[in-house]
């Protein structure tokens, strides 16, 4: 049995900022400690982090929360390998599967933003089909990451395992990734997943992420990400609002954008929930040998001043990565930076998906040299009221969606 290190237990028991900072600054003597620190530094729940750490330390290395049906489909590559492909300008798709996607596969429950998956039966059926379609064509550059910290949560790991047991995956599917939930676009994090980005430059000036410098980048996400022109080196911005309601239109917009640079590896950054993942997969099936698709989720929100997750805290980001923040959000004296008054003016914690509940009219506008595209949904359902009621009630079961049919054994038992 591997010994448990005192600093790790302290971080687990207290979950105080001081403990997390100490963990980040400590030497990483094992992959177990690095994974623990990554979970805590990136806002994972202490329960999930504790489950992973204790499971690894007490005789179940690496897969304490991974269902048996999933353990048969783990690929050898890591997120670090995928990040290297990005720097080498090789095409790939990087998709992340979280607890919301598991709820979607069950046809019930809601995500952190209050999206009620019982209202998305058709799209959740498509997501279930996509799982079984992985591997139907060469997927050597398709990386599907399942967040193990989500699987440690009650009501997530067991239902996902049941889904995999009842739905045979393609025999040629290369398998899932499990390590590090986001790609490091800054090019500064050392070691990977640590939250350590090194010393700040002596002069703070707006800078593009290292992985995106001198690249053609198309950003698909909520309107606030349009503030990150410099950081993301944005050539085209596509409004990803209501992505789950306009997957076909979004996929078409991706193909149209790619066609503008027929001989170039275009990078698509997608922060549009599970609807964005549906569009990504469909676009990758046609463009996967040319372009790169990265599911960025909520990881970019904080740089635009939106505190959608704990790791998107503006004070923290202005302190450690001010050169990548949207204009006017940080004020610096030398390399000592903190949020400006503007960063808090009229801003409240939000998420890249909260704005996704409002239908948008089709509109194409020009701003500087960057093109902004807004796509209308063909038939947007009115569900704000239902979502608000769901959030008031709190997490609970909803009637299973139609795609969980008995004839296809779609029903997934709860945990």
């Amino acid at each position: 049995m591997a010994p448990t290190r005192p600093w790790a237990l302290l971080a687990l028991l207290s979950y105080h900022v001081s403990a997390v900072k100490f963990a980040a600054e400590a030497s990483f003597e094992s992959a177990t400690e690095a994974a623990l620190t990554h979970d805590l530094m990136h806002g994972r729940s202490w329960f999930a982090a504790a489950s992973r750490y204790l499971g690894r330390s007490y005789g179940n290395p690496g897969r304490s929360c991974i269902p048996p049906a999933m353990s048969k489909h783990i690929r050898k590559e890591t997120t670090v390998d995928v990040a290297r492909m990005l720097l080498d300008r090789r095409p790939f798709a990087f998709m992340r599967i979280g607890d919301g996607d598991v709820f979607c596969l069950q046809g019930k429950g809601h995500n952190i933003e209050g999206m009620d998956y019982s209202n998305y039966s058709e799209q959740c059926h498509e997501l279930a089909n996509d799982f079984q379609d992985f591997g139907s064509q060469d997927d050597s550059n398709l990386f599907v990451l399942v967040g193990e910290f989500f699987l440690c949560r009650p009501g997530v790991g067991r239902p996902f395992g049941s889904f995999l047991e009842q739905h045979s995956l393609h025999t040629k599917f290369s398998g899932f990734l499990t390590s590090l939930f986001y790609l490091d676009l800054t090019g500064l994090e050392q070691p990977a997943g640590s939250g350590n980005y090194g010393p700040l430059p002596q002069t703070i000036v707006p800078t593009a992420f290292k992985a995106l410098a001198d690249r053609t980048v198309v950003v698909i996400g909520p309107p606030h990400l349009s503030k990150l022109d410099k950081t993301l080196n944005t050539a085209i911005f596509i409004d990803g609002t209501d992505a789950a309601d306009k997957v076909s239109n979004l996929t078409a917009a991706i193909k149209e954008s790619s066609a503008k640079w027929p001989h170039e590896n275009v990078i698509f950054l997608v922060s549009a929930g599970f609807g964005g993942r549906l569009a990504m997969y469909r676009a990758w099936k046609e463009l996967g040998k040319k372009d790169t698709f990265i599911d960025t989720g909520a990881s970019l929100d904080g740089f635009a001043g939106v505190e959608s997750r704990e790791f998107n805290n503006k004070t923290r980001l202005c302190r450690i990565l001010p050169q990548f923040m949207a204009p006017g959000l940080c004020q610096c004296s030398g390399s000592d930076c903190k949020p400006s008054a503007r960063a808090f003016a009229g801003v409240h914690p939000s998420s890249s998906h909260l704005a996704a509940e409002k239908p948008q009219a089709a509109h194409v506008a020009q701003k500087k040299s960057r093109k902004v595209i807004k796509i209308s949904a063909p038939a947007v359902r009115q569900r704000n009221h239902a979502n608000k009621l769901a959030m008031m009630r709190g997490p609970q079961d909803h009637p299973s969606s139609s795609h969980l049919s008995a004839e296809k054994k779609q029903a997934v038992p709860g945990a």
Side-chain angles (χ1 to χ4, degrees):
M1 181 174 68
T4 302
R5 290 168 172 77
W7 70 260
L9 288 180
L10 177 62
L12 289 172
L13 293 174
S14 66
Y15 197 37
H16 287 193
V17 174
S18 58
V20 175
K21 182 178 180 181
F22 177 68
E25 294 174 349
S27 62
F28 289 83
E29 298 179 1
S30 69
T32 297
E33 292 177 346
L36 167 68
T37 304
H38 177 266
D39 284 355
L40 297 178
M41 287 296 295
H42 290 76
R44 313 305 181 210
S45 72
W46 70 267
F47 175 85
S51 298
R52 293 220 307 165
Y53 183 81
L54 295 177
R56 291 178 176 187
S57 295
Y58 292 101
N60 191 10
R63 294 177 188 162
S64 59
C65 297
I66 295 178
M70 178 182 165
S71 64
K72 304 173 185 177
H73 302 281
I74 303 297
R75 64 190 299 167
K76 62 182 180 180
E77 294 91 347
T78 68
T79 307
V80 175
D81 297 315
V82 181
R84 190 174 298 115
M85 291 180 68
L86 178 61
L87 295 178
D88 292 343
R89 299 181 178 240
R90 288 183 283 165
F92 65 86
F94 176 74
M95 297 172 54
R96 302 168 310 105
I97 303 299
D99 53 352
D101 300 282
V102 176
F103 298 151
C104 187
L105 293 173
Q106 298 178 76
K108 58 185 180 182
H110 5 74
N111 63 10
I112 192 173
E113 287 86 25
M115 175 179 280
D116 185 346
Y117 290 107
S118 66
N119 292 328
Y120 294 88
S121 60
E122 180 179 348
Q123 294 92 327
C124 290
H125 177 65
E126 292 183 19
L127 179 64
N129 286 341
D130 284 355
F131 268 85
Q132 294 183 284
D133 192 61
F134 296 153
S136 61
Q137 65 185 62
D138 176 23
D139 68 348
S140 57
N141 72 339
L142 171 66
F143 300 94
V144 183
L145 186 145
V146 178
E148 187 181 349
F149 53 87
F150 286 126
L151 298 176
C152 293
R153 295 177 181 174
V156 179
R158 284 179 56 191
F160 186 59
S162 297
F163 172 83
L164 296 179
E165 290 172 359
Q166 298 173 32
H167 300 77
S168 298
L169 300 183
H170 198 284
T171 57
K172 294 185 178 180
F173 175 47
S174 294
F176 300 104
L177 300 179
T178 61
S179 65
L180 308 185
F181 204 50
Y182 290 108
L183 290 186
D184 173 33
L185 299 179
T186 70
L188 301 176
E189 190 178 31
Q190 292 294 333
S194 67
N196 289 328
Y197 296 94
L200 289 174
Q202 292 185 348
T203 303
I204 305 300
V205 296
T207 306
F209 286 150
K210 180 179 178 180
L212 305 179
D214 301 318
R215 304 295 298 273
T216 299
V217 182
V218 176
V219 179
I220 303 168
H224 59 257
L225 295 189
S226 64
K227 302 175 183 178
L228 299 176
D229 284 2
K230 180 68 176 180
T231 305
L232 304 180
N233 197 25
T234 307
I236 295 177
F237 179 84
I238 300 175
D239 189 345
T241 300
D242 254 336
D245 282 313
K246 53 189 181 185
V247 173
S248 296
N249 289 358
L250 195 56
T251 304
I254 292 174
K255 295 177 183 178
E256 181 181 347
S257 298
S258 175
K260 295 180 183 297
W261 294 275
H263 305 295
E264 189 172 341
N265 171 237
V266 179
I267 298 174
F268 291 87
L269 303 181
V270 184
S271 293
F274 86 100
R277 285 186 278 280
L278 291 174
M280 272 182 60
Y281 182 61
R282 282 145 186 76
W284 169 83
K285 293 189 74 173
E286 292 189 30
L287 303 172
K289 301 301 181 183
K290 172 185 177 293
D291 295 326
T292 294
F293 303 88
I294 301 175
D295 180 1
T296 44
S299 65
L300 303 176
D301 289 345
F303 296 102
V306 176
E307 297 184 335
S308 59
R309 302 290 190 275
E310 290 182 23
F311 58 80
N312 282 322
N313 179 273
K314 290 189 287 286
T315 300
R316 170 180 174 268
L317 289 175
C318 279
R319 176 172 55 82
I320 64 175
L321 295 170
Q323 69 271 37
F324 302 125
M325 297 291 281
L329 291 184
C330 303
Q331 58 184 25
C332 301
S333 176
S335 59
D336 181 21
C337 301
K338 60 183 180 180
S340 65
R342 174 183 171 182
F344 295 100
V347 176
H348 61 279
S350 183
S351 161
S352 60
H353 305 291
L354 289 180
E357 298 305 318
K358 297 181 180 180
Q360 299 290 327
H363 177 66
V364 177
Q366 198 74 25
K367 181 180 179 182
K368 298 181 180 178
S369 60
R370 187 254 297 158
K371 189 176 183 180
V372 180
I373 302 175
K374 291 188 177 181
I375 305 173
S376 62
V380 179
R381 294 179 300 278
Q382 299 300 317
R383 56 183 173 276
N384 287 343
H385 181 63
N387 282 347
K388 290 178 180 178
L389 290 178
M391 294 177 71
M392 293 173 63
R393 291 195 298 265
Q396 60 181 331
D397 290 351
H398 294 271
S400 297
S401 61
S402 60
H403 74 276
L404 304 180
S405 61
E407 62 183 18
K408 291 190 177 182
K409 295 185 179 180
Q410 298 279 2
V412 179

